[in-house]
Amino acid sequence: MFRFRLFFSYFKELVGKVVTVELKNDLAITGILHSVDQYLNIKLEDTRVVDEAKYPHMLSVKNCFIRGSVVRYVQLPPDGVDVDILHDATRREARGA
Amino acid sequence: MSLAGPDNFPATSLADNLDKKLLVILRDGRKLVGILRSFDQFANVVLEQAIERIMVGELYCDLPLGLYIIRGENVVVIGELDLEKEELPPHMVRVMPSEIKRAQKAEKDATELKGTMRKRMEFLDFD
């Protein structure tokens, strides 16, 4: 198990929220965060591709598994972030707790 | 908002997708469709009756591949295909492998040409 689990724990809190995952190959997928694991692999439900005309092959894909290593950004809902709790957790993690 | 402990994992597992028809997108841009038979913690995947779906513009072609083992580091997305929905937009035309290869080459030549023309124009330094 990895020692640094701040983002893993943080993503677990976001399960059920709508996020947009932008991949390193420029594909962007919006969906409901279903689950995340220690590698930050992401499973999304009810997905739709952001630029559908450019990626017609994903038309009937409604659930997908995204390998953590290919994620560039995860765009979060503005009200999905409690910045203070995140700051505290980061300070704690940095202190080596 | 509390940070969840190790006991309540919403685990990300491909087990739910076993024996289902999946779309696998690879790092090199290839799209494979097949039935998931096996996987592991690295997202290495075994696809049965795999086909490669090549799409160029409005044309597409399915190349049969057979039984495939994909190394996990090449996997970008594994999507579950909804069998009740259309896999492709209706206006797309299915063609033979020879024609799709020609279309791919034409597309590649066009992007290369755009690239070289841009390089030639760049020195002109338009403000």
Side-chain angles (χ1 to χ4, degrees):
Chain A
M1 272 300 178
F2 299 157
R3 265 199 317 132
F4 307 104
R5 306 200 12 200
L6 178 68
F7 281 99
F8 177 30
S9 305
Y10 177 61
F11 279 131
K12 278 196 282 190
E13 294 302 312
L14 291 175
V15 166
K17 297 247 166 62
V18 175
V19 297
T20 297
V21 182
E22 183 177 322
L23 308 178
K24 290 180 184 167
N25 67 355
D26 293 342
L27 177 64
I29 307 174
T30 305
I32 303 170
L33 184 63
H34 172 267
S35 54
V36 66
D37 65 10
Q38 52 170 327
Y39 304 109
L40 302 188
N41 294 331
I42 290 171
K43 254 192 156 184
L44 293 181
E45 303 223 309
D46 210 14
T47 57
R48 71 215 104 88
V49 174
V50 170
D51 191 353
E52 280 199 345
K54 211 170 147 204
Y55 303 98
H57 48 279
M58 299 271 298
L59 195 63
S60 71
V61 173
K62 285 306 164 238
N63 306 320
C64 66
F65 166 91
I66 303 173
R67 200 169 194 270
S69 60
V70 303
V71 173
R72 183 186 290 143
Y73 305 125
V74 178
Q75 294 161 18
L76 309 169
D79 54 349
V81 183
D82 189 331
V83 184
D84 297 321
I85 295 198
L86 204 54
H87 281 171
D88 289 339
T90 309
R91 264 178 241 122
R92 257 181 280 132
E93 187 109 1
R95 228 179 295 135
Chain B
M1 185 173 90
S2 63
L3 293 180
D7 304 297
N8 34 346
F9 277 5
T12 293
S13 153
L14 287 169
D16 304 329
N17 292 327
L18 277 175
D19 298 332
K20 289 203 182 132
K21 189 172 173 191
L22 302 177
L23 169 75
V24 181
I25 304 181
L26 302 180
R27 282 218 311 241
D28 62 3
R30 269 191 276 199
K31 303 138 213 145
L32 305 185
V33 176
I35 304 172
L36 181 70
R37 290 304 189 201
S38 186
F39 66 94
D40 68 3
Q41 70 269 36
F42 304 110
N44 293 328
V45 155
V46 174
L47 283 185
E48 196 175 16
Q49 292 167 35
I51 57 130
E52 180 184 346
R53 181 160 285 154
I54 309 178
M55 286 153 46
V56 182
E58 306 264 298
L59 311 171
Y60 79 97
C61 181
D62 290 345
L63 294 179
L65 300 172
L67 185 63
Y68 253 41
I69 299 177
I70 305 170
R71 189 179 159 90
E73 64 174 317
N74 297 295
V75 170
V76 172
V77 173
I78 299 180
E80 186 184 323
L81 292 170
D82 188 346
L83 295 173
E84 303 191 2
K85 294 216 154 74
E86 276 304 309
E87 284 180 15
L88 293 165
H91 59 81
M92 295 200 68
V93 179
R94 178 147 186 203
V95 297
M96 298 298 289
S98 46
E99 198 176 327
I100 203 85
K101 288 206 172 39
R102 249 181 292 144
Q104 267 184 322
K105 187 168 186 305
E107 195 187 46
K108 197 175 114 187
D109 292 343
T111 44
E112 267 183 49
L113 184 63
K114 257 206 296 191
T116 53
M117 281 188 68
R118 196 174 294 135
K119 275 187 226 137
R120 271 186 241 153
M121 299 301 240
E122 270 167 10
F123 84 95
L124 286 172
D125 198 27
F126 293 119
D127 279 326

